[in-house]
Amino acid sequence: MVEKHYRSLVKAVSWRFTGSVDTIIISLFVTHNFKWALSIGGVELFTKIFLYYVHERVWHKIPFGRVEEPRDKPTFQI
């Protein structure tokens, strides 16, 4: 199975949206300032999308933990 680059990008964006909401909530608790919380969440949204995408593509090239599936499934004879 081959993964396309756009799949990694979509996964990165969807994960970062979830992560950014978490960061905004934590930042709000720490700073008690909604403007600062949104600013922190907004900045890290873009930096971490890029970092996740690069991380995903690097891991895609690493064979660690991957097993080749047999191309032809054997037929069992009774």
Side-chain angles (χ1 to χ4, degrees):
M1 181 182 311
V2 177
E3 288 189 7
K4 300 289 186 179
H5 289 269
Y6 66 83
R7 176 180 165 83
S8 295
L9 183 60
V10 171
K11 286 171 63 178
V13 171
S14 68
W15 173 245
R16 272 323 319 150
F17 177 78
T18 304
S20 291
V21 169
D22 179 59
T23 298
I24 290 168
I25 292 169
I26 292 169
S27 298
L28 185 59
F29 283 126
V30 171
T31 65
H32 301 287
N33 185 315
F34 192 68
K35 183 178 175 182
W36 272 101
L38 284 178
S39 297
I40 293 167
V43 169
E44 67 92 41
L45 171 68
F46 295 103
T47 59
K48 289 186 180 173
I49 286 174
F50 172 75
L51 291 172
Y52 181 86
Y53 176 80
V54 171
H55 180 264
E56 179 80 7
R57 297 315 301 170
V58 168
W59 269 99
H60 183 70
K61 294 184 182 297
I62 298 172
F64 175 77
R66 285 190 172 165
V67 179
E68 286 287 326
E69 292 184 19
R71 294 191 184 266
D72 297 322
K73 294 185 179 181
T75 56
F76 295 101
Q77 297 177 353
I78 299 177

